[in-house]
Amino acid sequence: MERWLAAVVFGARGDYAAAATLLATLLRAADTPAAVRAHAAVTRAAHLRQLGGHRAARRFDGMGLALAGQAPVSDLYGYSHTNHSQAPAADAAGAKIDALIGLAADAIGLADPDLAERLLDLARDPAGGHPSWRPKVRWRWVRAELSLTRGRPAEALEYAEEAVAGSRAARATRHEIKSELLLAVARAGAGHPTAELADELTGLAERAHTARLDTLQWPIQLMLADVNRSTRLGRSGDHRRRATEILARIRVRTDPQGRVVMDRSPWVPKV
């Protein structure tokens, strides 16, 4: 389990090659508990998805779902942490929820919102009933993304605000910053003032930098580029350059499969 947690930390910082090595070891090892193997698979999926590889991620999310179903009943909540722990839950129930939510996120990235809706419906009650805060926050992330995809920014705002509240109560820095980024995207979609959004995002960028969260830094910089494009074109260009610099740094620390999906992704700027 310690190796899986280390892989989660590596992935959050953009050290994808180091994370991939640990996760592959866990997936290959015969003595790895099924619940932990399931989480290793969905964590690998999350890292590929962060690099824009939704199709590649879907394979690992499917693997995680299958592995979670193989776990003994004793592991259903056997590895859970308390609601206020920053560490993610490593139980079979949590892995199944993460896999369903991950598959929904994959479906959004592959332009299949109807499938995403069905998967999120399947995950709603299990996520709400899980003892950890984390599945609830992650479910709201993807539900907000789906609402934005369907052109419902007001609905996305509600889910994003709930995700911010949940991650803040858990004192989970990375989840809180990501939730606030999603909230800023929803506010932009709802027509909030540009200057106000720029100030919020600048603060988020500083927090992500302090926490060494490169994986959140580059999308924040891209959002800042978009927000400033209509009024401050020069500043917009600076933010886009900063995003590509961060991505170039991440690419150096990414495994070969991750580089392939990153280079092919329509969602990730080329570096």
Side-chain angles (χ1 to χ4, degrees), residues 54-98:
H54 296 83
R55 195 173 302 279
R58 184 161 61 179
R59 170 176 169 260
F60 284 95
D61 280 320
M63 183 190 303
L65 189 62
L67 287 167
Q70 296 172 14
V73 174
S74 59
D75 284 354
L76 191 62
Y77 293 106
Y79 293 89
S80 292
H81 297 266
T82 63
N83 277 349
H84 296 290
S85 170
Q86 290 204 37
D91 55 274
K96 181 178 179 180
I97 297 164
D98 273 3

Side-chain angles (χ1 to χ4, degrees), residues 109-131:
L110 295 169
D112 193 347
D114 291 338
L115 175 59
E117 186 98 48
R118 293 195 297 273
L119 288 162
L120 287 171
D121 285 346
L122 286 173
R124 181 196 295 112
D125 290 344
H130 195 278

Side-chain angles (χ1 to χ4, degrees), residues 213-226:
L213 297 173
D214 278 359
T215 54
L216 291 176
Q217 271 257 64
W218 71 263
I220 293 171
Q221 293 296 332
L222 284 183
M223 182 69 180
L224 275 165
D226 287 344

Side-chain angles (χ1 to χ4, degrees), residues 2 24 53 60 73 91 131 139-140 151 160 169 214 218 241 247 259:
E2 289 76 12
F60 284 95
V73 174
D91 55 274
W139 186 89
R140 288 180 170 89
D214 278 359
W218 71 263
R241 280 190 292 275
L247 281 166
R259 288 195 204 111

